[in-house]
Amino acid sequence: MNHLNPKLIRKKLGLNQQEFWSQIGVTQSGGSRYESGRNMPKPVQELLRVVHVEGIDLATLKREEIRALDYLREQQPQMLAELIKKASISEPKRF
């Protein structure tokens, strides 16, 4: 995994520490330690990537939608590629 710089990501998003870290279940003080160089556990790194880099709102994820995505990946990869292409046209890039 590429090294994520949480402070840089947070600043680019224009969020304070409380706003940024609370979205992934980390306290402001814990987030401050990560921004100061303390090692971030892999699950926290992944949550940071998913929420703040990929822009996925975890509260909106539904199990059946994830299962449908898995099905498309395995059974209909061309259809999935087309859907991704269409969706990416209408969605602005975060970074």
Side-chain angles (χ1 to χ4, degrees):
M1 172 186 289
N2 294 336
H3 177 70
L4 298 172
N5 182 328
K7 186 174 186 176
L8 179 63
I9 295 168
R10 181 176 62 77
K11 296 282 186 181
K12 283 184 179 181
L13 293 173
L15 300 174
N16 66 38
Q17 287 182 335
Q18 176 66 33
E19 294 165 333
F20 183 82
W21 291 104
S22 67
Q23 290 181 31
I24 60 172
V26 174
T27 63
Q28 179 276 323
S29 60
S32 178
R33 288 191 290 272
Y34 296 143
E35 289 185 18
S36 297
R38 179 177 274 186
N39 260 353
M40 225 184 316
K42 288 188 188 297
V44 174
Q45 289 176 30
E46 188 61 12
L47 283 170
L48 189 149
R49 184 190 68 76
V50 167
V51 172
H52 293 303
V53 176
E54 298 295 335
I56 296 172
D57 181 354
L58 297 177
T60 66
L61 292 178
K62 296 192 176 13
R63 181 175 296 179
E64 62 272 10
E65 293 170 348
I66 300 298
R67 287 181 178 155
L69 177 59
D70 288 340
Y71 172 82
L72 285 172
R73 274 191 193 123
E74 292 175 17
Q75 302 297 322
Q76 301 288 330
Q78 191 61 32
M79 181 185 291
L80 178 59
E82 290 175 32
L83 291 170
I84 289 170
K85 185 176 179 180
K86 287 179 182 181
S88 66
I89 292 170
S90 64
E91 184 177 12
K93 291 281 184 193
R94 291 177 61 86
F95 285 98

